[in-house]
Amino acid sequence: MTEPTFATLVSRWYEENARDLPWREPGVGAWAILVSEVMLQQTPVVRVLPAWRAWLARWPDPAALAADTPAEAIRMWGRLGYPRRAVRLRDCALAIVERHGGAVPDKLDQLLALPGVGTYTARAVAAFAYGQRHPVVDTNVRRVVSRAVAGEPDAGPATRPADLVACAELLPLEPAAAALASAAFMELGAVVCTASSPRCPACPVESVCAWRASGQEAPAGPTRRPQRYAGTDRQVRGLLLGVLRETTGPVPHQRLDQVWSDDVQRARALAGLVTDGLVEPVGEAAFRLVGDGPATPLPLP
């Protein structure tokens, strides 16, 4: 009898142990999956869940978001962090309406051409929304493949072309099975094969794991040191955005001055928000969220 493949073992485990997440439910469309993938970048699932539901309740399809203002996208993004993702998601919705009649495309090259959609997100949508065979490689997947196949305790800080090749070699040839395996690899890395406290006895591929066989220990801490937040420009930017989100239209400079006492740092943070396309000046003494004005419906082509 043929031994089950690596992908088969992980996929069987996934079908019995996967977390119950709404974007994984049958019938969830490509737009909802695209939104989830953008929100989940550098943000924990527990924070994404309510934001994802609220976002889709307001903008159930790309055309709905495209017809609204970037300011409203920033407001709805709330405190998920990295708010440029909200603007990029709206830019993506505009492109989907203009280029694809309002439907998220199913071809990888078309997904990659959308604003704000990179290598990971494009392949994730192609696999999870359309059941295609593509290597979907995030930090969790790279760690699983690095440990189980290469015998290394960690995969390093960034995705390389070799990571895509290594993952693709593990995927079944049948597209639907490959898409399932891609989701399974990711889930395994997220909940079992974690960075510093892997639960090896619960792993479906422990018996064939090269890293486990080597006897190496997991890293004592994260491979990348967590970024400090308190007192940084990121904190000041968040405070400024908080005031602007709560107000419709221009906010006087004097009101923003109350957010942070360090004039130089506050001015630098505000200038960064303008440069990033999140905030725009109004006259010489006020600022507002970018495009914080009447929405103009965008007709389908």
Side-chain angles (χ1 to χ4, degrees):
M1 181 180 294
T2 304
E3 293 292 327
T5 65
F6 183 91
T8 297
L9 291 170
V10 181
S11 296
R12 288 174 181 170
W13 168 87
Y14 176 81
E15 290 180 315
E16 295 182 1
N17 297 278
R19 290 168 294 176
D20 184 14
L21 301 175
W23 44 81
R24 291 175 174 170
E25 294 176 359
V28 172
W31 172 243
I33 291 173
L34 173 58
V35 171
S36 76
E37 291 297 341
V38 173
M39 287 187 169
L40 286 164
Q41 295 167 14
Q42 298 178 288
T43 308
V45 168
V46 67
R47 294 181 59 201
V48 167
L49 282 168
W52 180 82
R53 291 190 176 100
W55 188 280
L56 291 173
R58 179 165 182 175
W59 298 306
D61 53 45
L65 177 57
D68 216 330
T69 64
E72 287 306 304
I74 297 168
R75 283 196 177 93
M76 282 293 291
W77 198 258
R79 299 188 178 278
L80 276 181
Y82 304 97
R84 277 179 292 178
R85 290 181 292 172
V87 177
R88 289 171 180 165
L89 193 50
R90 181 181 176 274
D91 291 342
C92 181
L94 283 166
I96 291 170
V97 170
E98 293 171 348
R99 303 174 194 172
H100 305 289
V104 177
D106 61 358
K107 293 182 173 55
L108 182 60
D109 60 342
Q110 294 176 338
L111 287 165
L112 286 167
L114 294 173
V117 174
T119 297
Y120 165 78
T121 304
R123 286 170 169 77
V125 173
F128 304 149
Y130 295 114
Q132 297 176 11
R133 186 184 187 277
H134 297 288
V136 183
V137 181
D138 70 349
T139 300
N140 292 315
V141 173
R142 287 191 297 110
R143 185 168 56 252
V144 167
V145 175
S146 177
R147 287 176 176 173
V149 178
E152 299 294 334
D154 199 271
T159 300
R160 304 161 300 170
D163 295 319
L164 293 172
V165 173
C167 183
E169 289 176 349
L170 296 173
L171 296 178
L173 295 178
E174 200 276 317
L180 176 65
S182 290
F185 295 165
M186 192 175 304
E187 185 77 347
L188 186 66
V191 302
V192 173
C193 192
T194 55
S196 58
S197 301
R199 299 189 295 115
C200 294
C203 181
V205 291
E206 181 189 19
S207 63
V208 296
C209 176
W211 172 63
R212 186 69 164 163
S214 73
Q216 297 182 66
E217 295 184 358
T223 55
R224 287 182 289 179
R225 183 175 298 174
Q227 294 181 340
R228 182 172 61 91
Y229 181 74
T232 64
D233 285 4
R234 283 183 59 214
Q235 182 184 16
V236 183
R237 284 164 59 101
L239 293 170
L240 291 167
L241 273 181
V243 172
L244 292 161
R245 280 198 305 265
E246 294 167 1
T247 307
T248 301
V251 175
H253 209 305
Q254 295 89 330
R255 172 69 184 89
L256 296 175
D257 289 346
Q258 299 172 21
V259 164
W260 197 255
S261 60
D262 185 328
D263 294 343
V264 173
Q265 187 177 23
R266 187 181 63 251
R268 183 173 64 240
L270 185 57
L273 291 172
V274 173
T275 300
D276 289 345
L278 298 169
V279 172
E280 59 189 6
V282 181
E284 296 182 357
F287 292 84
R288 67 182 181 186
L289 293 179
V290 65
D292 197 7
T296 301
L298 185 70
L300 290 174

